[in-house]
């Protein structure tokens, strides 16, 4: 899991560094695919449920599951990149939202709040707490900053498969399982400037905000230990 996590985090970094005015989302995906395979891993997303690419790349009002293609990224856009890599049968999963060039102050705040909400949540990713404590902390922080948390999609357990029990909502939802050492979870706040409602586009994959507001996504795979959680996909500057 640690090795898979390192490869996945590095792939996210490769994607972040590739974001530039004039690049297509397909070109970013190609860089991710090449890096994961060069690292001796398999792109987890490619073919998963029929998904046609190695990364989900979502721009502006797109929340998650954007399909890489001909869309050109422009300065002022914010780009969410979600990647997964399978190494020796174990899966790493992480995501982040990054600016292309100079972006609005609102976009900067949204990205910062979304990222920080993850860290607010994992303060409770310790034995004795429950999954709900993570989600409640994320929701409280996001809403205190005037934003909303997506309800229709949640984090999840991750290990030999990309999606395992338990679900890890980014909002308060009871009852929920107690956290114990050895659990590996993908904690992934999805945060909207406007309302939390989302819809799926006609391609049956891309999720967008109903009101057209900006959305950001931040995710890491974490390990529950006897003390502080270990973030398995933390490196962002490789």
């Amino acid at each position: 899991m640690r090795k898979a996590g390192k490869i996945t985090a590095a792939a996210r970094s490769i994607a972040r560094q590739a974001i530039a005015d004039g690049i297509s989302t397909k070109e970013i995906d190609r860089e991710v695919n090449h890096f994961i395979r060069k690292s001796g891993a398999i792109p987890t997303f490619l073919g998963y449920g029929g998904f046609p690419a190695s990364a989900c790349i979502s721009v502006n009002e797109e929340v998650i599951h954007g399909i890489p293609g001909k869309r050109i990224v422009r300065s002022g856009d914010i780009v969410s990149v979600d990647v997964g890599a399978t190494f020796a049968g174990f899966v790493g999963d992480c995501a982040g939202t990054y600016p292309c060039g100079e972006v609005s102050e609102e976009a900067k705040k949204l990205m910062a709040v979304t990222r920080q909400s993850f860290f607010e949540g994992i303060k409770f990713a310790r034995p004795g707490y429950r999954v709900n404590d993570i989600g409640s902390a994320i929701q409280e922080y996001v809403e205190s900053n005037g934003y909303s948390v997506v309800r229709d999609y949640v984090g999840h357990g991750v290990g030999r498969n990309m999606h395992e029990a338990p679900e890890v909502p980014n909002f308060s939802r009871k009852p929920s399982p107690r956290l114990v050492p050895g659990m590996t979870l993908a904690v992934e706040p999805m945060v909207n400037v406007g309302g939390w409602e989302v819809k799926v586009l006609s391609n049956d994959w891309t999720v967008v905000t109903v009101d057209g507001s900006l959305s950001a996504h931040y995710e890491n795979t974490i390990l529950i230990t006897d003390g502080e959680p270990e973030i398995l996909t933390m490196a962002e500057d490789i």
Side-chain angles (χ1 to χ4, degrees), residues 54-212:
S54 299
C56 299
I57 303 178
S58 309
V59 182
N60 296 333
E61 78 285 355
E62 296 174 348
V63 183
I64 51 173
H65 301 165
I67 299 175
K70 296 180 180 178
R71 180 167 184 170
I72 301 299
V73 176
R74 294 300 184 192
S75 183
D77 289 339
I78 60 172
V79 183
S80 297
V81 180
D82 192 354
V83 297
T86 301
F87 180 82
F90 290 90
V91 178
D93 188 10
C94 66
T97 302
Y98 307 106
C100 178
E102 187 61 32
V103 300
S104 69
E105 291 302 314
E106 183 77 275
K108 291 177 184 177
K109 180 184 175 185
L110 173 66
M111 290 185 292
V113 167
T114 303
R115 186 180 189 278
Q116 184 57 34
S117 73
F118 165 85
F119 291 99
E120 296 298 321
I122 68 166
K123 290 177 181 178
F124 298 91
R126 302 170 62 102
Y129 289 100
R130 293 185 180 274
V131 168
N132 185 65
D133 296 314
I134 298 174
S136 294
I138 290 171
Q139 180 180 15
E140 181 178 352
Y141 181 78
V142 168
E143 292 180 352
S144 73
N145 280 278
Y147 297 141
S148 62
V149 175
V150 171
R151 304 287 203 280
D152 296 33
Y153 299 88
V154 298
H156 49 89
V158 59
R160 291 187 180 273
N161 298 291
M162 184 162 66
H163 292 109
E164 300 181 349
E167 290 191 343
V168 185
N170 301 301
F171 52 92
S172 181
R173 189 176 76 183
K174 299 177 181 178
S176 68
R178 197 173 294 279
L179 299 169
V180 296
M183 295 174 77
T184 44
L185 307 173
V187 179
E188 52 176 320
M190 290 155 270
V191 179
N192 300 341
V193 168
W196 60 263
E197 297 86 357
V198 299
K199 63 182 180 181
V200 181
L201 297 183
S202 59
N203 64 19
D204 293 328
W205 279 106
T206 307
V207 178
V208 301
T209 56
V210 167
D211 58 14

Side-chain angles (χ1 to χ4, degrees), residues 6-41:
K6 287 181 179 179
I7 293 170
T8 309
R12 176 176 57 184
S13 295
I14 293 294
R16 177 177 60 80
Q17 293 164 17
I19 294 169
D21 182 72
I23 196 170
S24 72
T25 53
K26 184 64 176 178
E27 289 173 292
I28 299 172
D29 180 71
R30 191 179 299 123
E31 292 292 324
V32 169
N33 180 289
H34 176 73
F35 177 82
I36 291 173
R37 293 188 184 280
K38 184 179 69 173
S39 301

Side-chain angles (χ1 to χ4, degrees), residues 44-53 67 203-205:
T44 311
F45 294 2
L46 186 60
Y48 186 87
F51 190 75
I67 299 175
N203 64 19
D204 293 328
W205 279 106

